[in-house]
Amino acid sequence: MRRRFILTGAAALMAAFGLMAQTTVTEVPPAAAKPVLPTADTVLQRYVDATGGKTAYDAVKTRVSSGTFTLTGKGITGSIQSYQAAPAKSYTVVDIEGVGKQEDGNDGKTVWELSPMTGARIKTGTEAAAELRTSALDTYSNWKNYYKSAEVVGSENVGDKSCWKLVLTPNQGEPETNWFDKSTGFLLRESATMDTPMGKIPVQADYSDYRKTGDLTLPFKLSQTVAGQEFEFGLTKIETNVDIPATRFNLPAEIVALQK
Amino acid sequence: MGYAALTADQRRESLASFDQVWTTVRDKHWDTSLNGVDWAAVRDQLRPQVEKARTPAEVRSIISDMLSRLHQSHYAVIPGSVYHDLDSRSSSEADLNGANTSPDGTAGLDVRVIGDEAVVVSVDPNSSARELGVAPGWIVRRVGDEELIPVLRRIEGAYKGSTMRDMMLAHAVVSRLDGPISNPVEVEFQTARDKMVLLALNRRDFRGTPAKFGFLPEERVWIDTRLVAPDVDYIAFNLFLDPTALVSKFQESVRNCSGCAGIVVDLRGNPGGIGILAMGLAGYFIDKPDQKLGTMYMRDLPLKFVVNPRPPVFEGKLAVLIDGLSASTSEIFAGGMQDLNRARIFGSRSAGAALPSMIERLPDGDGFQYAAASYKSESGKVLEGVGVTPDEPIALTRAALLAGRDPVLDAAIRWIQQSPKGNQTQ
């Protein structure tokens, strides 16, 4: 489970109302002795093992998630449906009350978004690469397919949880930082910068409420901070290896029109 | 002449108000350098003066002095008494128990203050005002038992020199005309022949479809589209809200007129709404990718308002109509399209409220207005506190309204029909 469900348009939308919030990482005070850092391979393998193991990840060919969307503190809510298929196809629709459907997805090649507010757009470059990477079902179990390097750079707390802090450098795009819980191995936080036409937008995603679903243990709650706005996705159902109609990942007509 | 000192409660409220203003600017100003002002030093200098102040006006003056150190627009203290003038229903509104639970409705009149007179600019065809013969160009003299001239003079004084003057003046009149549906509103008009008539206007439901967005109160959204000449489409809407319905109707109108010589988008009276809808609507008129309407500068990052072309893009001329009540998203759209040379702007200067300038109430009852971000249109113009200046300034006159003309729309139609099609904004 590692879809960021990023809503760049929605971030700008809320910014227009000027209400901003910020979350921060609490740094652990420097210890007297420098901690011995594990290798990135060790931390990532621990995460994969703690959440079901590589065999279980490799067996996942599709995933369907559904739940709720909340723009924290603004009274804006909605629903989310997300479809993923190996190796990295995706379609997500967030239906926001008072705004309408915000859709994004990819057919494995073309990465796109569609919104009643901002229209249709084909994503390119590092933005598209990031979307394909986070749409993959095996991002961590086969991380070397997506990242050219990974390094544990320190130890930091996320809330009261002591974490290993990893910097992963993707094959295309800027480095991303992940925090893995030392005690459970779970991914608790991710920080990255989205390179969008609206500018470089920092994104922080906090993962929690890990639950076993099928052979995997996945986070059912995502709290995101995008451009200072806080969003929350509460998933109520995650199903794996369910049939998804092949047409689910077809490009919408508005996107096809942009390709002409 | 001496004044009694503030009471202990008043002093406490004054200091709390000063502190609230100072802290809000420190924490929410988009520029962490606060325009280079030593904000702590300003507090140290002025707070003791609040402690010694003898009147609320003195306190207000000290807080205004503090805000003036920023040398930026849209930082203001609004006297508590103005809230009464801006938002009060006429005294006939209260029922015998002093309260009225009837839902609000509209008298069906839209008003602009021209000179110092509240002039009717449009009358809803379904209103009792229309049935009673009220027409554009009539002057609203009194609402209930309240004469408008003193009210307008007070607001004029409070907003003298502000781009928001027109908006606040019109709001003061319309907020008195609208009110509980169960109560007719008694209005004294000066007719076209300058006779005084007293009419009781029934209020009806606000026009449009209810739209809800977060914690904003429910608003009614309407869109009006029609041909105003055989080859000129006209689109007007009252708010940038309810994107799905609004964009769908907007798109239908644009596409139905794809071969037209031009389209008029009328944003007069439109106070804005969802900011990025400006980008979405601009996409029907911009065919090149990576074009920007402008950039919003928040404390943490800039956000570019990039337009996504929505093919088939309309290739004819685009005229945008604005006035002093066109604010926020309306200004982002108009200012950006002007900078991109894609639209010619007609009317009068917009409200210069291109951003969420927020207004909070202070402990002493005054209002505090502040901007939470900066916005520059594509050419680098700051719209906040300045507004969009029309390419073709046209003042609304009572004489034109009485003659049944809309000089701003007329000019736009004339430009579309007379200019060569290939030259889109000149």
Side-chain angles (χ1 to χ4, degrees):
Chain A
M1 169 65 187
R2 191 170 170 267
R3 279 288 277 128
R4 284 197 208 109
F5 305 129
I6 290 161
L7 302 170
T8 51
L13 155 94
M14 301 315 135
F17 287 91
L19 301 170
M20 290 170 270
Q22 196 70 38
T23 58
T24 54
V25 174
T26 308
E27 293 217 6
V28 175
K34 195 175 178 181
V36 177
L37 301 178
T39 65
D41 262 325
T42 304
V43 174
L44 291 168
Q45 187 62 50
R46 172 101 194 280
Y47 169 74
V48 170
D49 290 344
T51 53
K54 187 171 187 311
T55 304
Y57 275 101
D58 288 346
V60 176
K61 302 303 175 195
T62 65
R63 179 179 297 153
V64 178
S65 310
S66 57
T68 59
F69 162 83
T70 306
L71 184 61
T72 310
K74 311 294 188 297
I76 295 171
T77 58
S79 62
I80 178 170
Q81 284 278 336
S82 177
Y83 302 83
Q84 292 169 266
K89 292 181 181 177
S90 72
Y91 169 76
T92 300
V93 56
V94 182
D95 195 352
I96 305 174
E97 186 187 12
V99 172
K101 291 181 179 177
Q102 316 294 301
E103 299 170 89
D104 70 53
N106 76 80
D107 62 357
K109 293 177 187 170
T110 303
V111 183
W112 56 270
E113 74 174 13
L114 180 60
S115 154
M117 293 183 295
T118 55
R121 182 168 75 89
I122 294 174
K123 299 180 184 179
T124 58
T126 55
E127 185 185 22
E131 179 72 22
L132 290 168
R133 191 165 60 245
T134 55
S135 295
L137 293 163
D138 63 344
T139 316
Y140 288 114
S141 55
N142 291 308
W143 70 270
K144 287 179 181 170
N145 291 342
Y146 306 98
Y147 296 93
K148 54 190 175 192
S149 67
E151 183 187 6
V152 179
V153 296
S155 171
E156 278 184 2
N157 271 21
V158 172
D160 60 356
K161 303 279 174 58
S162 180
C163 295
W164 295 119
K165 181 179 177 183
L166 261 76
V167 173
L168 294 123
T169 304
N171 295 332
Q172 188 179 354
E174 294 186 26
E176 300 166 359
T177 307
N178 287 190
W179 287 260
F180 291 93
D181 189 328
K182 289 179 187 174
S183 63
T184 63
F186 293 160
L187 173 67
L188 297 188
R189 176 168 292 173
E190 181 184 15
S191 172
T193 300
M194 287 189 309
D195 193 1
T196 79
M198 295 183 77
K200 293 192 180 233
I201 301 176
V203 180
Q204 179 177 288
D206 284 358
Y207 301 91
S208 60
D209 190 18
Y210 276 83
R211 294 186 220 161
K212 192 163 172 51
T213 174
D215 292 330
L216 296 175
T217 300
L218 299 171
F220 277 66
K221 183 176 172 185
L222 281 76
S223 302
Q224 293 191 343
T225 305
V226 181
Q229 301 292 337
E230 292 182 15
F231 306 82
E232 189 171 296
F233 296 94
L235 300 182
T236 50
K237 191 193 282 186
I238 303 176
E239 296 176 292
T240 53
N241 292 331
V242 294
D243 288 336
I244 300 175
T247 55
R248 178 75 283 170
F249 303 106
N250 287 356
L251 302 180
E254 293 89 340
I255 301 299
V256 173
L258 291 176
Q259 292 179 313
K260 290 176 182 169
Chain B
M1 181 173 173
Y3 292 94
L6 296 173
T7 64
D9 281 349
Q10 283 176 314
R11 188 169 308 287
R12 193 167 46 250
E13 287 169 357
S14 297
L15 286 167
S17 297
F18 179 93
D19 291 342
Q20 183 174 323
V21 170
W22 186 87
T23 305
T24 301
V25 171
R26 181 197 63 185
D27 294 344
K28 296 187 177 176
H29 196 288
W30 66 87
D31 171 12
T32 51
S33 78
L34 302 186
N35 213 21
V37 176
D38 184 344
W39 201 233
V42 170
R43 177 190 56 190
D44 293 347
Q45 180 196 351
L46 296 179
R47 198 174 191 279
Q49 294 182 23
V50 176
E51 290 170 0
K52 293 176 190 166
R54 300 183 64 81
T55 67
E58 222 176 293
V59 173
R60 197 174 299 128
S61 172
I62 295 164
I63 295 176
S64 297
D65 181 12
M66 174 166 70
L67 293 171
S68 73
R69 311 289 179 97
L70 292 167
H71 298 292
Q72 287 170 326
S73 66
H74 278 63
Y75 285 91
V77 178
I78 302 163
S81 60
V82 171
Y83 282 96
H84 171 78
D85 291 335
L86 284 175
D87 251 331
S88 74
R89 293 171 170 178
S90 63
S91 57
S92 61
E93 297 301 292
D95 63 16
L96 293 175
N97 297 318
N100 194 318
T101 55
S102 167
D104 277 356
T106 175
L109 301 178
D110 197 8
V111 170
R112 297 290 185 277
V113 174
I114 301 174
D116 57 0
E117 292 173 331
V119 181
V120 175
V121 294
S122 71
V123 183
D124 191 322
N126 300 316
S127 64
S128 71
R130 171 64 70 89
E131 290 160 7
L132 292 168
V134 180
W138 285 29
I139 298 169
V140 181
R141 289 290 180 202
R142 186 164 58 86
V143 180
D145 56 4
E146 193 172 24
E147 294 285 345
L148 283 186
I149 285 178
V151 173
L152 297 178
R153 280 185 183 154
R154 281 197 296 272
I155 294 169
E156 176 80 48
Y159 285 90
K160 192 175 182 183
S162 166
T163 52
M164 292 175 70
R165 169 195 172 275
D166 291 356
M167 176 183 282
M168 304 315 279
L169 286 168
H171 177 72
V173 180
V174 172
S175 70
R176 283 166 169 75
L177 292 168
D178 297 342
I181 286 182
S182 60
N183 287 3
V185 58
E186 194 174 72
V187 184
E188 185 180 65
F189 291 98
Q190 182 175 330
T191 69
R193 296 187 176 186
D194 291 331
K195 287 184 179 174
M196 297 298 180
V197 295
L198 192 60
L199 300 176
L201 306 180
N202 290 322
R203 291 163 171 147
R204 294 180 181 168
D205 271 340
F206 288 101
R207 181 184 172 196
T209 309
K212 190 86 178 69
F213 182 70
F215 289 137
L216 287 177
E218 183 178 275
E219 298 281 358
R220 297 290 187 107
V221 181
W222 54 260
I223 178 167
D224 176 18
T225 65
R226 64 181 191 272
L227 285 176
V228 287
D231 56 353
V232 181
D233 192 21
Y234 171 87
I235 307 173
F237 52 98
N238 67 323
L239 285 164
F240 286 80
L241 286 178
D242 193 8
T244 304
L246 179 69
V247 171
S248 163
K249 287 177 186 166
F250 192 95
Q251 173 174 293
E252 184 185 344
S253 187
V254 172
R255 299 269 154 87
N256 285 344
C257 206
S258 58
C260 287
I263 291 177
V264 178
V265 174
D266 189 351
L267 299 177
R268 290 176 294 177
N270 188 323
I274 300 174
I276 61 169
L277 256 175
M279 297 149 62
L281 298 187
Y284 290 106
F285 304 101
I286 302 281
D287 59 359
K288 291 180 195 157
D290 303 323
Q291 301 288 297
K292 299 194 297 283
L293 296 179
T295 304
M296 175 178 278
Y297 296 89
M298 296 186 293
R299 176 166 272 208
D300 298 320
L301 77 164
L303 280 179
K304 298 174 202 163
F305 277 43
V306 180
V307 178
N308 297 322
R310 301 176 97 143
V313 167
F314 179 72
E315 293 177 348
K317 291 185 182 137
L318 175 63
V320 177
L321 316 186
I322 58 170
D323 68 6
L325 277 67
S326 307
S328 188
T329 312
S330 290
E331 298 181 283
I332 290 171
F333 181 85
M337 297 300 261
Q338 184 182 45
D339 284 353
L340 292 171
N341 279 323
R342 182 59 188 94
R344 188 165 176 80
I345 314 297
F346 297 79
S348 50
R349 186 175 68 169
S350 64
L355 282 178
S357 75
M358 314 258 217
I359 298 178
E360 296 177 350
R361 295 300 290 270
L362 297 172
D364 64 6
D366 282 355
F368 168 43
Q369 181 185 17
Y370 66 94
S374 176
Y375 180 88
K376 290 180 183 174
S377 66
E378 181 56 8
S379 67
K381 284 185 290 195
V382 176
L383 299 179
E384 185 75 0
V386 177
V388 177
T389 302
D391 299 300
E392 225 167 290
I394 300 160
L396 202 56
T397 64
R398 185 179 177 223
L401 291 165
L402 287 172
R405 291 192 295 108
D406 181 343
V408 183
L409 177 58
D410 293 345
I413 295 170
R414 211 163 40 241
W415 169 72
I416 288 171
Q417 292 181 324
Q418 290 176 355
S419 305
K421 192 169 183 178
N423 189 353
Q424 291 188 329
T425 60
Q426 299 304 307

